[in-house]
Amino acid sequence: MAPVTQTRPKSTSWWNSAQNRALVFQVLLAAAVIAFFVYIGRNTVHNLEQRGIATGFGFLNQKAGFGIIMHLIPYDESYTYGRTFLVGLLNTVLVSGLGIVFATILGFIVGVARLSPNWLISRMAAVYIETFRNVPLLLQIFFWYFAVLRALPAPRQSLHIGSGVFLNIRGVFLPRPIFEDGFGWVTGAFVFCIIATIILKRWATRRQEATGEQFPVFLTSLAAFLILPTLAFFLTGKPLHWEYPELKGFNFRGGIAVIPELTALLTALTIYTATFIAEIVRSGIQSVSHGQTEAAYALGLRPGKTLRLVIIPQAMRVIIPQLTSQYLNLTKNSSLATAIGYPDLVSVFAGTTLNQTGQALEVIAMTMSVYLSLSLLISLFMNWYNKRSMLKER
């Protein structure tokens, strides 16, 4: 019997390894990208030095010298450019946050109405969606600002809406709450109700899973919110009064003033984004098998409870990812505020501050970083919520 000879595998060179070649090309690509940005950076710094433009963030400590018509924190002309950045940032966060809340509520209502068996309601929802979704957002902002709010009467001929509420070309004027000593007990009672509602909701869920019996969480929580803070309010001697706006000279003084720029921008963002959210809600509901609805009806559930307890929870896995994109779009679309003079970050910081200081590189970099950070925070929160809302398969 001839001896068996073992052949050694043929060794390959280092370069013929696909893994090694991929590593080399990745290193070369990374080096090229770094070299490109270094070249761009050095070229930018050289051009700025040639034009005598200073670099750095020292301008944030300089006096701004211009006023802002709306600010959520104390501000006047004596504050610095750093303060203008905070004022613009808070105004952007305000209009974006309110827009997300209002657009979500309106979008869910219209999305459900779009599937209503009532012919008139479903057609009205369809007309609303097709009308406002296909009109550019900037044009809608101009419509609400120039055609609606700028056509309101002067302060002396203001429209009186309810107790202490006035509407005119300068905006909406509302009573301002003045909190006195002891109101902290009312706030504490309200916070206690929130915590108690969360605990009650979890207990009711576990109870339903164990016994199949439901507990009226909503009615119980509503009663707690009505009773406990009210009791705390009266027992502490009504520590709250209102400051009503009064016409003095050419404008109203006191109270809360909502400028027309904010009203127009918020209205346009809400109505425009709600059309897309409504379609997302409609597609999410239609993605749930009709057998689920029939099974719920067979168990004796009414249409309202079937929608709330069976259809919507299953549709959320389709709705939430698309809803995240609309929240991001709304936040970025808020930068159109500069078209009507609403003092958001782009208008105040990337507009006036940039023109006065000439620090284009730093101002634009800070502005872009803010929008990037806001988008990442929204995505992070929605991904967390999406993970918690996913159906648990057993």
Side-chain angles (χ1 to χ4, degrees):
M1 182 175 179
V4 178
T5 57
Q6 294 183 348
T7 57
R8 299 178 59 185
K10 187 177 180 180
S11 62
T12 57
S13 64
W14 186 86
W15 178 250
N16 288 333
S17 170
Q19 186 177 2
N20 294 336
R21 286 202 307 271
L23 178 63
V24 170
F25 286 126
Q26 290 180 35
V27 170
L28 291 176
L29 178 61
V33 171
I34 293 173
F36 173 76
F37 282 105
V38 169
Y39 170 76
I40 293 294
R42 295 182 61 179
N43 191 34
T44 302
V45 172
H46 175 73
N47 290 336
L48 291 174
E49 291 176 350
Q50 290 292 322
R51 289 165 175 77
I53 300 175
T55 57
F57 294 92
F59 73 97
L60 293 175
N61 297 321
Q62 297 176 8
K63 182 179 175 182
F66 64 90
I68 300 176
I69 59 174
M70 174 181 164
H71 42 83
L72 301 178
I73 56 177
Y75 176 84
D76 57 36
E77 291 81 355
S78 63
Y79 280 95
T80 63
Y81 288 118
R83 192 75 168 187
T84 65
F85 171 77
L86 290 178
V87 171
L89 173 61
L90 291 177
N91 288 343
T92 295
V93 172
L94 174 68
V95 73
S96 300
L98 292 177
I100 286 173
V101 173
F102 293 152
T104 303
I105 296 173
L106 181 60
F108 265 80
I109 294 174
V110 176
V112 174
R114 184 78 172 82
L115 298 173
S116 171
N118 187 301
W119 183 88
L120 181 60
I121 293 177
S122 64
R123 292 302 181 276
M124 288 175 63
V127 169
Y128 162 76
I129 292 172
E130 296 303 328
T131 301
F132 290 100
R133 184 175 63 171
N134 295 306
V135 176
L137 176 58
L138 183 60
L139 196 58
Q140 292 190 41
I141 294 174
F142 284 156
F143 169 77
W144 290 108
Y145 184 66
F146 292 109
V148 177
L149 298 178
R150 300 299 293 178
L152 291 173
R156 289 186 179 280
Q157 292 78 36
S158 297
L159 302 176
H160 190 190
I161 307 171
S163 176
V165 181
F166 300 91
L167 177 65
N168 57 52
I169 196 172
R170 302 282 179 84
V172 182
F173 295 86
L174 308 167
R176 180 198 301 273
I178 305 296
F179 304 108
E180 301 172 353
D181 294 339
F183 195 81
W185 288 99
V186 181
T187 306
F190 189 78
V191 173
F192 174 79
C193 290
I194 294 176
I195 297 174
T197 300
I198 296 173
I199 296 174
L200 184 64
K201 174 65 177 174
R202 291 184 176 180
W203 172 81
T205 303
R206 288 197 298 269
R207 179 174 180 264
Q208 184 177 357
E209 291 175 350
T211 64
E213 297 180 0
Q214 293 184 346
F215 186 83
V217 177
F218 176 74
L219 294 178
T220 306
S221 303
L222 182 62
F225 275 101
L226 292 177
I227 294 174
L228 289 181
T230 305
L231 278 177
F233 179 74
F234 284 104
L235 290 177
T236 52
K238 303 179 183 179
L240 172 70
H241 70 273
W242 298 88
E243 179 190 71
Y244 291 93
E246 296 180 1
L247 183 61
K248 295 180 179 178
F250 296 100
N251 201 359
F252 281 86
R253 298 287 185 272
I256 299 176
V258 181
I259 59 175
E261 289 81 5
L262 173 60
T263 306
L265 179 64
L266 184 58
T267 305
L269 285 174
T270 299
I271 291 177
Y272 181 75
T273 309
T275 60
F276 294 93
I277 294 178
E279 286 297 272
I280 292 170
V281 171
R282 181 175 68 90
S283 64
I285 292 175
Q286 288 181 329
S287 70
V288 179
S289 171
H290 188 63
Q292 298 286 322
T293 306
E294 294 177 339
Y297 289 165
L299 292 173
L301 291 179
R302 295 181 177 179
K305 278 195 171 182
T306 301
L307 181 67
R308 183 167 56 87
L309 300 177
V310 178
I311 305 301
I312 293 294
Q314 297 185 72
M316 291 302 286
R317 60 181 176 177
V318 177
I319 293 173
I320 292 176
Q322 301 181 66
L323 204 60
T324 305
S325 299
Q326 295 306 317
Y327 289 169
L328 299 179
N329 288 337
L330 187 146
T331 303
K332 290 179 284 189
N333 286 337
S334 69
S335 61
L336 293 174
T338 189
I340 56 174
Y342 174 72
D344 74 327
L345 186 65
V346 175
S347 176
V348 171
F349 194 65
T352 308
T353 300
L354 190 151
N355 289 330
Q356 290 193 359
T357 62
Q359 305 281 140
L361 192 63
E362 294 81 359
V363 170
I364 296 300
M366 290 176 66
T367 306
M368 292 173 65
S369 300
V370 166
Y371 281 99
L372 176 63
S373 301
L374 291 177
S375 298
L376 291 177
L377 287 175
I378 293 172
S379 298
L380 196 64
F381 174 77
M382 292 302 292
N383 288 335
W384 169 80
Y385 182 65
N386 185 35
K387 191 173 181 180
R388 285 184 58 87
S389 304
M390 289 176 62
L391 295 178
K392 306 296 187 300
E393 298 182 356
R394 297 181 175 87

